[in-house]
Amino acid sequence: MADSFFSAFSPQEIAQISARGTKVSLPAGWAPISERTGADKAYVILEGQVSVRSHGEEVAVLGPGDIVGEAAIMNQSLRTASIVALTRLELIHFTPEALRGLADEMPSFAQALEHTARERFGGQA
C-alpha cells in the first residue's frame, strides 16, 4: 500500500477523526487484535510498526497513518488476522460505535474504509 489511510484526509478531518478515539500506548510484542476474535476495536497507528499475521504467517507490515481492525467491525465478522506490535506503538483506539459514527458523519471516512478493505481483501469486503 503506497498511501496510508490518513493520507486521504485534510488536517481538519484528521483532527475530527482523532477526536472520536482515545490515544493509547502499547509496548513491543503486544497483540492488540487476535485472529478469530470478535470485532470490538480498531486502531489508527500514529507511531511504530505492526505485523499483520494470518494463520501465524506475516502477511503485511503497517505503520504510521494505517488503520487496523476496521474491516471486521464494518463487516460484522470475526477477525481475519492478528496484529502484533513490532515496536512501541502510539495508537488511536476506536470503539465500533465511534467507527460507525464517523462513517455515517463523514462520507470521505466511509469511502476510505471501503477503499482500504478492497485493497486488503481484493474486492471481497
Side-chain angles (χ1 to χ4, degrees):
M1 277 174 253
D3 294 330
S4 75
F5 178 77
F6 262 179
S7 67
F9 302 105
S10 71
Q12 294 83 4
E13 289 173 320
I14 290 172
Q16 182 179 352
I17 294 164
S18 298
R20 291 294 290 268
T22 304
K23 191 172 177 187
V24 296
S25 300
L26 297 177
W30 193 266
I33 292 176
S34 297
E35 191 172 4
R36 297 169 46 108
T37 61
D40 60 347
K41 58 192 162 265
Y43 298 97
V44 171
I45 302 166
L46 298 176
E47 293 178 28
Q49 288 191 317
V50 300
S51 170
V52 181
R53 299 176 185 172
S54 180
H55 305 292
E57 290 192 35
E58 185 173 279
V59 295
V61 173
L62 301 175
D66 287 317
I67 190 167
V68 295
E70 80 295 341
I73 290 173
M74 300 313 287
N75 294 330
Q76 298 180 345
S77 63
L78 293 178
R79 303 288 185 188
T80 58
S82 294
I83 305 298
V84 179
L86 296 174
T87 64
R88 178 174 168 73
L89 298 175
E90 294 293 327
L91 307 165
I92 300 172
H93 168 270
F94 295 98
T95 64
E97 296 77 19
L99 206 66
R100 287 189 197 104
L102 279 165
D104 289 343
E105 293 166 20
M106 294 178 64
S108 59
F109 186 79
Q111 289 169 355
L113 287 176
E114 290 171 18
H115 175 77
T116 300
R118 274 196 309 276
E119 243 183 15
R120 291 183 182 165
F121 301 107
Q124 297 174 35

